[in-house]
Amino acid sequence: MAHRRPRWPGDILPRSFYQRDARVVAQALLNKVLACADGRAGRIVEVEAYIGAIDPAAHTFRGKTPRNAVMFGPAGHMYVYFTYGMHWCANTVCGDVGEGSGVLIRALEPVAGIERMRQARPKVKRDRELGSGPARLAQAMGITGEQNGIDLVRARECYTIVDDGTPSPENIPGSARIGIRQGTDLLWRWLVAGNPHVSRP
């Protein structure tokens, strides 16, 4: 029996979308949709950029390691890392091969498959808390270390990011990134102003 290709809720973002400065990609990702083949989907409403060798907060600042190797690979892949010994966080790889840049997806507004998200996060009482933070959204979307390195552009491994026609927000001011000790002067966090699904610092 032939494997059925999923019907994604929009047009898959091309490789060229990610092959740019992470700060540009980060802002362009706002209002795009992270989607799973099982029907779960969330609108990206908060992001942070991390840029290799010029950014002391980036995992790639000190060079390539087995843990961060995906970040030095082709743009459009997903970099997933484990933090605080208990949480997964999802990023898109950006820029040129060897650059070590990416965008952390910090918050999602659930738009489809919400019941599956609730099952993945059974203790959550309000839907706005399903994806309001990088660890929360990874759990809600079923993202773990198994997704580290998957290609979001070819979309053959259950996940991708699509454009459903919703325009990017205008006049997006940058702010300091959350939960870091270095690079705090870099205003590389952007969000959809007023969206209730944005994480709380």
Side-chain angles (χ1 to χ4, degrees):
M1 183 176 178
H3 178 69
R4 293 182 60 186
R5 295 180 64 183
R7 295 182 63 181
W8 301 111
D11 297 325
I12 295 173
L13 299 180
R15 187 86 56 204
S16 58
F17 178 93
Y18 302 99
Q19 291 172 324
R20 299 179 290 173
D21 186 295
R23 292 164 291 191
V24 174
V25 177
Q27 295 174 72
L29 277 171
L30 291 176
N31 279 339
K32 299 300 187 287
V33 177
L34 174 63
C36 180
D38 66 9
R40 284 179 282 186
R43 191 171 310 285
I44 299 171
V45 296
E46 182 184 357
V47 292
E48 290 178 351
Y50 290 86
I51 304 183
I54 68 169
D55 179 7
H59 287 181
T60 51
F61 183 63
R62 298 187 183 281
K64 188 176 180 179
T65 67
R67 181 196 187 206
N68 67 25
V70 169
M71 284 276 280
F72 288 92
H77 286 245
M78 183 183 282
Y79 167 55
V80 182
Y81 66 87
F82 201 51
T83 185
Y84 298 119
M86 58 192 303
H87 299 304
W88 297 104
C89 296
N91 305 255
T92 64
V93 179
C94 302
D96 297 325
V97 171
E99 187 176 310
S101 296
V103 175
L104 171 65
I105 302 174
R106 278 205 58 90
L108 295 178
E109 175 184 348
V111 295
I114 296 176
E115 191 55 43
R116 284 182 180 270
M117 294 187 191
R118 292 178 186 140
Q119 291 172 3
R121 304 199 69 234
K123 295 182 180 179
V124 171
K125 296 181 179 180
R126 296 178 294 182
D127 286 353
R128 72 180 187 183
E129 296 175 351
L130 287 171
S132 59
R136 290 178 174 183
L137 73 86
Q139 187 177 34
M141 293 292 293
I143 296 171
T144 68
E146 292 188 5
Q147 280 69 52
N148 186 41
I150 67 171
D151 190 343
L152 294 166
V153 177
R154 298 182 71 183
R156 295 179 179 177
E157 297 157 297
C158 293
Y159 292 87
T160 192
I161 298 178
V162 304
D163 183 347
D164 69 348
T166 302
S168 298
E170 297 181 359
N171 302 319
I172 315 166
S175 60
R177 295 171 294 181
I178 297 172
I180 59 173
R181 296 180 179 178
Q182 296 177 300
T184 55
D185 58 319
L186 302 174
L187 306 183
W188 292 354
R189 171 179 173 249
W190 294 274
L191 51 84
V192 178
N195 190 289
H197 299 270
V198 168
S199 67
R200 302 293 186 267

